[in-house]
Each structure stands twice: as structure tokens, then as C-alpha cells.
Amino acid sequence: MATDPVCGMTVDPVRAAARRVREGRVIYFCAPGCAASFDRDPASYDAPAVAPWTSAPRMSVRAPAEASPGPESQILSLQGMHCASCVSTIENALAEVPGVSQASVNLATGRAHVTGRRLDPATLIRAVRDTGYGAAPAGETASPHADDDSRAEERDALRRTLVAAALSVPVVVLSMAHVTFPLREWVLLALTLPVYAWAGAPFLTGAWRTLRRRNANMDTLVAIGTTAALLLSIAATISPSSMPAGGGMAPVYYEAVGVILTLLLFGRWLETRARARASDAVRRLLSLAPRTARRIESGGEREVPLAEVVPGDRLRVKPGDAVPVDGVVRSGHSSVDESMLTGESIPVEKKEGDRVIGGTIDGDGVLEIEATAVGNDTALAHIARLVAEAQASKPPIQRLADRISGVFVPVVLSIGVVTWVAWYALGPEPRALLATVALASVLIIACPCALGLATPTAILAGTGRGARSGILFRNAAALEKARRLTLVLLDKTGTITEGRPRLAARVLYAGASEEDLIGSAAALEESSAHPLARALVDAAVERGIRIPPVEAFESRTGLGVVGRIAGKRAAVGSARLLELEGVDASPLGDELAALAREGRTPVLVARDGRLLGALAVADPEKPTSAAAIRRLRAMGLRVAMLTGDREDTARAVARRVGVEDVISEVLPADKAAKVKEAQGRGETVAMVGDGVNDAPALAQADLGIAIGAGADVAVESSDVTLVGGRLDGVADAIVLSRAMLATIRQNLVFAFAYNALGIPIAAGALYPLTGWLLSPMVASAAMAASSVSVVANSLRLARRPLDR
């Protein structure tokens, strides 16, 4: 930990570099609680200034005189929504609250995500309730064990459906069989009223709440349609002579009222059930963590609730147990199944010093771990937050549906009125009956449920499928970006390669000893965060070489490190660094070139103005890299490597994995510029990386994809995170995003086509040609089927294979 020189706060040096780019605005985050922001183009940052406490590059920026409070966010749980117009009504109401900059309502999850400044939850809730809907504060993620509102809504819809069906069946039988007996119509009314008043109560109360506030939604359409049919039937029952039968039409429509409400309730039950299945991804993720942990205490081992575990606690994990929290192995050896988080089926070996993730399953050994992150700070909770954020967001394709849903219900009501007037004025007898039938059919068939469910259900199912495979989308806008990609830029170290370099060769010069060469290199690199540094330190430890202390350590970004060892100036890095230090490295030129051609990275070492030699570090490629790159190219994408490594080394690695285009020797500060340069040529660019130095490029790219095993800053700057760290996850992410977008398009086309065809037919467009008028019962069945079919189409994503 150290003090941030910009804001003076105590910060983690890696997180100090974190920043995000959203909608053209670069926000610089020093630490939680520091929200200084700067309207800057990501490519216009000054050259990185390296703080003395880390070798990670950080942006050189000036703090404003007085930083304004950063944007806040509030999440609300909503009740009573059933269609796209409900969503539009609530979003408009929230947008009018002072301080709100954006409000996004998700029909499938039943949540509202509100951003702005100085947000008051009570004011937001009151704004929602004033529109006739329910609202309450909600956490960032769903509870893994609670029976939430969606499950309660599902049970309520099923109960009402069963009661409505039980009462409506005898009404239909008596009506269709044309059975006559005294007081027949009064018996039908007695059976129908409970269906209308109790089973259909959600539609009636919803319509009343919205009409009182001069709004309208799906409930309004259903309530008006069924009430019109019921009142017409009651009038015919009380005064049969005023509603004479004619034209083959029955004088009462009790069976229509009962069947309409039964079908609508059945459709709502199927819809809520399917929505619950689609939105289970976050709950399933959180349920991976156990409820208790075995804490090691002075008196032995004690099982404690997970909420009591704090960082630093020692925990014992036995074979078959779920790892309770994120931690570091302090003793023991085992294989851990991480497939539920990474999608990798092969267990990962864990030994002392290795990290473990909460929710993974211990294999055949006993591990003693030290907790490093608990509660909302664990990787599992972070993944759940990312999934929840993606599910709450909307892709740009949703904008058209939002605009239409905002005016949909008023337009349908107008069409219904025109239909009734036209039939009453121009239709055959019995005109009142025909007009009411047409009105009810129009209002019921036009319900915009399918339109409102088209996008969110596809995103819910798709992001849940991705989460099971270790693919996390930060927002829905990434889906459309992925569809347009033309170029994929890959970082080398930690992305194409394992990211765990090892010393592969050494070259001594002018009588230098191996102890001097490796010891000097390890001494300087011990204070560095560069991926190659660990390899040199490990080499000294493995050989038993003493690592001397270092003074005046300094990191030179993209060049190497310098310092003083036993009072003498020492340098480890590139030939350019040694040149700046006044040391001639040309005598080793041939050896360095040979090492580079073999794909090894040479590191020069000098001390007291004298060249000691070179160390060659090799970083093996990941086993899946070559196949993953072939797959990306087969998808029609250009693939290039963007790395700070030497040209010869980079090309040797590129040849082995099948990358043709190589952009090498790029300083960290210039990676974003290279991405922008490609974008200037008309390319739509995906950048894939894992290190701190990849963050600006990830932010600049059209689609930033971070390898989840890498630095926090890379993950924070990306649109997509691959938890498992496998490169073939890039192709999986693109395949899944394309499938989600295709499903959204299919759903929207179906929803629009359904209404475009259904409303004219319900209004009687076919009657002059065929003499056929759509029954309200058929209209209700069609409406329910439309919503269920959209949800079912989305749920196909949950089972979709990603390898094609």
C-alpha cells in the first residue's frame, strides 16, 4: 500500500491505475472513495509517470482543484410490470426525478438501475409508486437462498390460473353444448364473476392504478376488453330483449371472459416461470459459495458461518468441500475443480502459494488457506455483479422497441375505439355485439408483452450461458460491437503465452560469473512487477544464489530497471536502456539475435558501467492458443499480435501459433495509439490483454477483452472478461454475442410482425372477404403464445454450444 500522489489517499498500487472509458469520458479512479474525473481522450494521456512504489505505469494527470462528487447508482426491485409500456412508464417517471441522469428498467429481471447524483432512494421509490407500480430497494445481486418476488409471482399466477380454469370449464361446456335450462345465464354469470373479480384481479387493479394517473399499459387493454364483454353479457342476461341474438352470434360472452382470463393467466405463469429460469444465472453463481467455513483457531478447528470469516483467517478445506472464500494456499496440495467459474473441465493443481477462488471444489487433498477476500470482495461476488450489470443494461438495438412501446398502448386504445365505432356504425346486426367482440379482440391481441420481453430475456439467457463458461459481459452494448469486429489484436505475454516465464539460457561476458549475472538481475527485478521479473528471481532462488539489497531502485517503462547494488550502479533491461546508461551491448548482438529467433526474450545485465552478459527468458505458449487463433481466422477475422517484445522474439511466437501480422516493440503508452491507428483505417478492433499496460488499449478498442487471471486494471477497462484465461474464450465470446444479437433480432421481428398482422385481423379486416371475425378467446391464446414463444426462443441460448 502507498500514498497516491494525485489525491493523497492510501491506495493499492495496482488498483491505482484503474480507469474506465464510458461514452467518450475517461474517469480516473485512484481508489474507492476517490472519484476525480477528467474529460480526456484515452490516447491523449501524458507519458506514464512511474511512482516509486510500483513498476506499473500510471497516467500523469493533474487533479482538479475540487473534485465533484462522482455519479451514484441505485437499484430498485419493481413489482407489477408485465409489458414494454410498463417499462417505458417507469423509466420516464424515474428520468424526471431531479439528479437522475439515466434510468434503465429491465422487464425480465424486474429491476431498475438508476444513475445520477445525490440520488434519494425514497424519492425514486415514490416516483415509481406514483405511476401505479411497486418498488423497493434492491441489492447489487440476487440473494442465493431467498425466495424472491419472481418466485412468489409465479406461484400466484399458477394458483389464479388453476382457479380460473376450474370455473371456466363448466361455463365453456354449457355454452358450447347449447344446453338450456332455467336461469342458465345466471348460473354462467355466477361462475364467471369469481374468474373476473378474483383470478383477473391483477389485470383490473393494475389498470385502475395506471388509469388514475392517466397512464395505460397491458393491464388497461385486458381490463377494458374483458369488462366490455362482461358488461355486454350482463346486459343481455338482465334484459334479453335489448340484446337480440342474430347473425349466428351468441347473446352472452361469459365463456369468452373466462377463457380469455384463464389463457392470459396461464401465459403469465409460463412467462414468469421462463423469466425466472432465464434470470437464475446470478443466483446460481452466488449459491456456489458454502454457508459455513472451517476456521482454524487456537483450540483447533471450528465451523463458523461464512459471514464471520475475515481476511487473514486460516481455513481448512477438505476433499469435496467448496472453497469458502478467495485465499492463498498456506499448506497442503490438491487439485481444484474450477469448471463452474471458468468452464475448464480439467482440475487445477494447487500447492503452497497458489491462489484459490471461493466456490470452486476441492479434489482429493486437504488445503489450509489464508482468506484474502470475503463477502462482496470475492471473485465470485465480482463475477455476479458483472453478470447482473450486463443483464440490467440495454443494447442499442433496443432503442427502437423503447420508442414504439412508449406510444403503443395509447395507439392501440385509439385503434380499438375506431374499430368499435366503425362496426357499430357500418356493421351488420347485431352491431353492438360485433363491435364489442372486435374491440375486445383488438385490445387483447395487441398486448405488447412480446415486445418488452424480446431483448431482456435474450440477454438474461445469453449472459447466464456465458457465466457458466467463464465469459462475462460488462454491458449489452458489447454484443453489437462484437458483431462488427474485423480485427483482433492480441497481447503476447499472459494472453497468447502462459505468462509464467522461466530462465531458459544465459550468456556470460568478459569473465563475469553466473552468480554476479543472475544475482544482479534478481536483485533489481525483485522490486519490479514486470512478468519477466519473477522468472529471474525464481532462477536465483532455485540456484541458491544470494540476492543482494538494492538502493535507489527506479523503473524505466518499456526499457527495464536500474538501481544501486553495494553502492554501484546496475541496470537490467534492453539494449536501449544500457545505451542510456553508457554501456555498449553490441558485443552480444549475434547471441541476442539468435535467442530472439528462438522466441526467447533476452535481458541484458550491466553493473558499474560493465556488461555482465544476458539472460534469456522463455514464456511457453498456452496449449489452446494456436487452435484458438485458427478458429478466429476461420470466423473471418484478422488476427494480429501487439506486444512490447522484440521483433524477432514476437515473430518466433507468432509463427508457432499462426499469427501473420505482428506489431512489436510497442511501449505501453503507445498501445492505445496503435489501436486508434487501426480504427482510423476503418477496422473495428477487439483488443485482448491481461496486464496493467494493456488497460489503455482495452479502453480504446471497440471491444476490450480481458483475461480474467490478469491485473484488476485490465478487467476494469474491458467490455468482456474471460475468467479462465484461455484464449479460445475469445472466439466463444464472439460466437455467444452474435447468437444473442441474432436472437434479439428474431424476437423483435416476431413481436413487430405479430402485432402488425394480428391487430388488423382482430379489427375485422378479413370479415368482408370471409365473414370471419376473430374471437376474443383466440386473440387471448395468440397473445399468450406470442410472449411464451419469445421467451422460449431466448432460452435456446442457455443450451447453445459455443464451439461452433
Side-chain angles (χ1 to χ4, degrees):
M1 306 300 286
T3 300
D4 189 294
V6 173
C7 68
M9 293 185 67
T10 301
V11 297
D12 182 303
V14 173
R15 291 186 181 273
R19 59 256 180 219
R20 298 179 185 171
V21 177
R22 293 292 178 267
E23 300 177 359
R25 179 178 176 84
V26 176
I27 301 178
Y28 174 91
F29 292 99
C30 296
C34 174
S37 60
F38 308 88
D39 288 308
R40 298 283 299 277
D41 185 306
S44 69
Y45 281 115
D46 301 333
V50 181
W53 34 266
T54 177
S55 64
R58 62 186 309 279
M59 298 304 177
S60 175
V61 295
R62 292 179 298 170
E66 184 177 351
S68 59
E72 306 170 13
S73 65
Q74 293 286 339
I75 301 177
L76 303 179
S77 176
L78 305 174
Q79 296 86 41
M81 293 193 305
H82 300 291
C83 65
S85 58
C86 303
V87 171
S88 178
T89 298
I90 297 175
E91 284 183 342
N92 291 337
L94 289 171
E96 293 174 359
V97 175
V100 173
S101 59
Q102 185 177 14
S104 177
V105 174
N106 190 302
L107 175 61
T109 61
R111 290 193 167 202
H113 190 269
V114 186
T115 56
R117 297 180 186 276
R118 297 182 178 87
L119 299 178
D120 177 24
T123 303
L124 298 175
I125 290 171
R126 188 163 54 251
V128 174
R129 290 177 176 171
D130 284 346
T131 63
Y133 299 89
E140 290 185 349
T141 56
S143 167
H145 309 296
D147 186 12
D148 62 6
D149 291 340
S150 65
R151 297 296 185 188
E153 182 183 2
E154 180 185 337
R155 290 196 303 270
D156 181 68
L158 178 60
R159 185 165 53 248
R160 292 178 187 274
T161 301
L162 294 176
V163 171
L167 294 173
S168 297
V169 167
V171 175
V172 173
V173 171
L174 292 174
S175 298
M176 297 304 174
H178 300 290
V179 177
T180 59
F181 55 87
L183 303 178
R184 170 181 177 272
E185 282 72 21
W186 289 100
V187 172
L188 297 179
L189 173 60
L191 290 170
T192 303
L193 276 179
V195 177
Y196 174 82
W198 182 81
F203 302 108
L204 301 177
T205 56
W208 172 245
R209 286 196 308 264
T210 54
L211 286 174
R212 278 196 306 135
R213 292 164 178 82
R214 299 179 182 178
N215 290 319
N217 62 2
M218 180 205 100
D219 292 338
T220 311
L221 303 181
V222 173
I224 292 176
T226 55
T227 301
L230 181 66
L231 292 178
L232 186 67
S233 300
I234 292 175
T237 299
I238 296 174
S239 178
S241 59
S242 65
M243 294 285 182
M249 300 298 296
V252 293
Y253 273 87
Y254 294 122
E255 79 282 2
V257 174
V259 172
I260 286 170
L261 290 174
T262 300
L263 288 172
L264 291 177
L265 288 167
F266 180 64
R268 179 170 291 186
W269 173 68
L270 290 176
E271 175 191 312
T272 54
R273 186 168 180 266
R275 279 161 47 188
R277 284 179 56 199
S279 61
D280 269 347
V282 173
R283 189 177 296 103
R284 285 198 301 269
L285 280 171
L286 291 175
S287 66
L288 295 175
R291 299 188 184 188
T292 61
R294 293 187 177 92
R295 186 164 62 194
I296 300 172
E297 300 175 348
S298 56
E301 177 186 304
R302 186 166 70 93
E303 190 166 303
V304 298
L306 197 62
E308 294 183 11
V309 177
V310 297
D313 280 355
R314 291 292 185 103
L315 308 173
R316 181 167 287 121
V317 185
K318 296 182 179 180
D321 285 354
V323 177
V325 296
D326 294 359
V328 177
V329 178
R330 292 309 180 200
S331 68
H333 180 276
S334 184
S335 58
V336 175
D337 180 2
E338 298 182 343
S339 60
M340 64 286 295
L341 293 180
T342 67
E344 297 293 332
S345 58
I346 301 175
V348 180
E349 293 296 318
K350 299 293 182 180
K351 59 185 184 302
E352 186 176 345
D354 289 342
R355 291 178 58 191
V356 289
I357 303 173
T360 55
I361 306 299
D362 184 23
D364 51 7
V366 177
L367 297 175
E368 184 178 316
I369 68 171
E370 178 182 338
T372 57
V374 301
N376 288 330
D377 295 328
T378 63
L380 190 63
H382 179 66
I383 290 170
R385 280 194 297 272
L386 284 178
V387 175
E389 286 176 10
Q391 292 180 342
S393 62
K394 293 183 180 182
I397 194 174
Q398 177 68 13
R399 292 171 187 161
L400 176 61
D402 288 344
R403 286 197 297 269
I404 292 175
S405 64
V407 298
F408 188 86
V409 172
V411 168
V412 170
L413 286 172
S414 300
I415 293 173
V417 171
V418 171
T419 299
W420 192 92
V421 171
W423 274 97
Y424 189 78
L426 306 174
E429 292 292 345
R431 291 180 297 174
L433 284 173
L434 291 171
T436 304
V437 168
L439 169 65
S441 297
V442 167
L443 297 182
I444 291 169
I445 203 169
C447 173
C449 290
L451 188 63
L453 292 168
T455 297
T457 53
I459 292 175
L460 280 171
T463 52
R465 175 67 181 89
R468 295 202 309 274
S469 298
I471 303 168
L472 308 178
F473 293 90
R474 182 175 292 279
N475 53 59
L479 307 181
E480 296 201 39
K481 296 176 184 176
R483 182 179 64 89
R484 300 191 300 270
L485 291 178
T486 59
L487 172 65
V488 178
L489 294 176
L490 303 174
D491 174 47
K492 181 177 76 67
T493 304
T495 301
I496 294 177
T497 65
E498 293 282 0
R500 293 190 292 270
R502 305 288 296 172
L503 181 62
R506 57 175 176 72
V507 179
L508 299 174
Y509 180 73
S513 68
E514 182 180 68
E515 184 172 355
D516 275 349
L517 178 67
I518 298 178
S520 298
L524 287 175
E525 296 290 10
E526 195 172 32
S527 300
S528 172
H530 195 280
L532 299 182
R534 188 73 256 163
L536 299 179
V537 175
D538 288 346
V541 173
E542 290 168 3
R543 290 165 174 78
I545 296 174
R546 174 180 170 273
I547 301 177
V550 174
E551 298 175 344
F553 171 82
E554 184 180 351
S555 176
R556 303 282 183 84
T557 304
L559 299 175
V561 291
V562 296
R564 301 189 73 83
I565 300 175
K568 297 178 180 180
R569 183 79 168 177
V572 178
S574 65
R576 173 61 179 158
L577 175 65
L578 266 62
E579 180 183 337
L580 294 174
E581 292 291 314
V583 179
D584 182 15
S586 60
L588 296 182
D590 293 340
E591 288 88 342
L592 297 182
L595 291 171
R597 284 193 297 271
E598 297 171 2
R600 299 175 176 181
T601 301
V603 179
L604 291 162
V605 183
R607 186 172 173 182
D608 196 24
R610 183 170 64 92
L611 180 64
L612 297 181
L615 299 169
V617 178
D619 184 12
E621 296 83 32
K622 294 177 181 177
T624 59
S625 291
I629 290 167
R630 285 196 301 271
R631 187 176 165 204
L632 288 170
R633 294 176 63 183
M635 294 167 65
L637 299 169
R638 288 183 54 235
V639 181
M641 181 190 294
L642 180 63
T643 178
D645 217 336
R646 289 173 51 119
E647 175 81 10
D648 291 346
T649 303
R651 290 204 173 275
V653 174
R655 280 194 302 272
R656 289 196 290 268
V657 297
V659 174
E660 295 181 353
D661 298 328
V662 177
I663 307 170
S664 59
E665 301 183 26
V666 181
L667 293 176
D670 296 333
K671 283 192 174 183
K674 291 294 183 182
V675 173
K676 197 170 186 178
E677 182 181 311
Q679 291 170 327
R681 298 193 302 267
E683 302 275 13
T684 303
V685 182
M687 175 68 198
V688 186
D690 77 321
V692 172
N693 60 357
D694 298 320
L698 289 168
Q700 174 63 46
D702 297 285
L703 186 72
I705 302 177
I707 300 294
D712 288 347
V713 60
V715 174
E716 288 296 323
S717 303
S718 66
D719 300 297
V720 181
T721 299
L722 306 179
V723 178
R726 289 164 52 105
L727 192 56
D728 51 3
V730 176
D732 289 345
I734 294 173
V735 167
L736 182 57
S737 64
R738 289 177 174 177
M740 277 195 277
L741 192 61
T743 302
I744 291 171
R745 289 180 179 277
Q746 293 164 8
N747 288 347
L748 289 175
V749 167
F750 177 80
F752 286 133
Y754 163 81
N755 283 293
L757 294 174
I759 292 175
I761 292 174
L766 299 180
Y767 187 84
L769 300 175
T770 64
W772 181 70
L773 183 62
L774 186 69
S775 166
M777 291 188 292
V778 176
S780 63
M783 189 280 288
S786 70
S787 297
V788 173
S789 62
V790 163
V791 176
N793 187 45
S794 297
L795 287 176
R796 292 187 305 114
L797 289 168
R799 302 182 298 273
R800 192 189 195 287
L802 301 181
D803 55 357
R804 55 180 174 84

